[in-house]
Amino acid sequence: MKTTAWKLYVAVCALVALTYFVVETTSLSKLVLYNGIGASAVVAVLVGIRRNQPENKRTWYFVAAGMGSFLTADVVYYVLEIVRNAVPFPSPADFFYLGMYPLMIIGLVGLLRSVSPGRDVAGLLDAGLVAVATFAVLGILVMDSYIADPSLELSGRLISLAYPVMDVALVAVAARLVAAVHIRQTSFALMTLGLSSLMVADTIYGILNTAGTFQTGGFADAFWLGFYVLIAAGALHPSMGE
């Protein structure tokens, strides 16, 4: 059962996600379906910690806390959308969305130290190059538009810029972890795919939001759901303990 739990989890979440996108639902139903997956992901990470007993439990708790912060932001966002029919920007949800990044980064740094306690100059250079490339891409696609947007006040502009900056920081740490891990377990692959899914979703959101065409329930949500499910599946997989 332990070896198939993660597969069963992914299958169930896939069915719920399909319902979220295919079935005509009210806003309240969408809130339940979408955030149900998010809540299950946080629980799944905690279950994975208990079942797989990794040596670096505390770092995994930071990962769970980061996902919990993201879930809280999603709930706040949906509630605001239901109550007000429009989500103001900035909103309380942004505090929790941005709060996810430092928690996740702390967790990844802890994992990195457990697999690579020494200094790896080549790995640091690789991570730096990835970070610079990511920053350049996001600068072209998203950041320039935020800086030039006259409708944004200073607080809105700073928060808008904080998202891609935090994305770059997360990408840099994840790239450093990829460079450090030489035995590519399934859990590691699932986590890497989950973080990649988050980056794709954030980039899509930035582009659509800048164009004024972003809508809740669009295809960007599939990548945010992928972030939840893949990270959780990585925690449930037996190789997580390694």
Side-chain angles (χ1 to χ4, degrees):
M1 181 63 180
K2 190 175 180 179
T3 58
T4 59
W6 72 276
K7 295 179 181 178
L8 180 61
Y9 174 77
V10 171
V12 171
C13 286
L15 288 175
V16 176
L18 183 63
T19 303
Y20 172 79
F21 285 109
V22 174
V23 176
E24 290 292 335
T25 59
T26 64
S27 295
L28 181 60
S29 298
K30 280 188 173 292
L31 183 152
V32 173
L33 291 169
Y34 186 93
N35 292 297
I37 292 177
S40 74
V42 177
V43 172
V45 173
L46 296 176
V47 170
I49 295 171
R50 183 176 179 83
R51 294 180 63 178
N52 296 317
Q53 293 294 311
E55 292 184 7
N56 45 3
K57 286 184 181 179
R58 188 170 69 172
T59 63
W60 276 99
Y61 282 125
F62 274 108
V63 172
M67 296 179 71
S69 182
F70 203 73
L71 168 64
T72 303
D74 280 337
V75 172
V76 172
Y77 187 96
Y78 264 99
V79 169
L80 286 173
E81 189 172 58
I82 292 172
V83 173
R84 304 180 60 170
N85 294 321
V87 181
F89 182 79
S91 77
D94 292 295
F95 172 80
F96 293 102
Y97 279 131
L98 290 172
M100 178 274 294
Y101 291 95
L103 291 169
M104 192 68 70
I105 287 171
I106 291 171
L108 292 181
V109 168
L111 292 174
L112 175 61
R113 288 179 176 176
S114 69
V115 298
S116 181
R119 292 186 176 182
D120 180 3
V121 177
L124 288 173
L125 289 175
D126 288 342
L129 288 173
V130 171
V132 170
T134 304
F135 188 83
V137 171
L138 290 177
I140 295 171
L141 295 177
V142 178
M143 297 176 73
D144 284 348
S145 298
Y146 288 147
I147 293 173
D149 189 346
S151 66
L152 288 176
E153 297 181 356
L154 178 60
S155 60
R157 188 172 285 112
L158 291 175
I159 290 176
S160 296
L161 292 173
Y163 281 104
V165 169
M166 295 304 290
D167 274 332
V168 169
L170 186 59
V171 165
V173 176
R176 178 68 183 88
L177 185 60
V178 169
V181 176
H182 302 294
I183 301 175
R184 304 302 168 87
Q185 300 285 5
T186 301
S187 176
F188 176 80
L190 289 167
M191 280 196 66
T192 303
L193 288 172
L195 292 172
S196 300
S197 188
L198 174 65
M199 297 300 106
V200 172
D202 285 352
T203 303
I204 293 172
Y205 170 77
I207 295 171
L208 295 180
N209 191 49
T210 300
T213 57
F214 174 78
Q215 289 184 334
T216 302
F219 68 98
D221 284 359
F223 291 97
W224 277 313
L225 289 172
F227 160 67
Y228 277 131
V229 174
L230 290 167
I231 295 291
L236 288 172
H237 195 276
S239 64
M240 177 265 220
E242 302 174 33

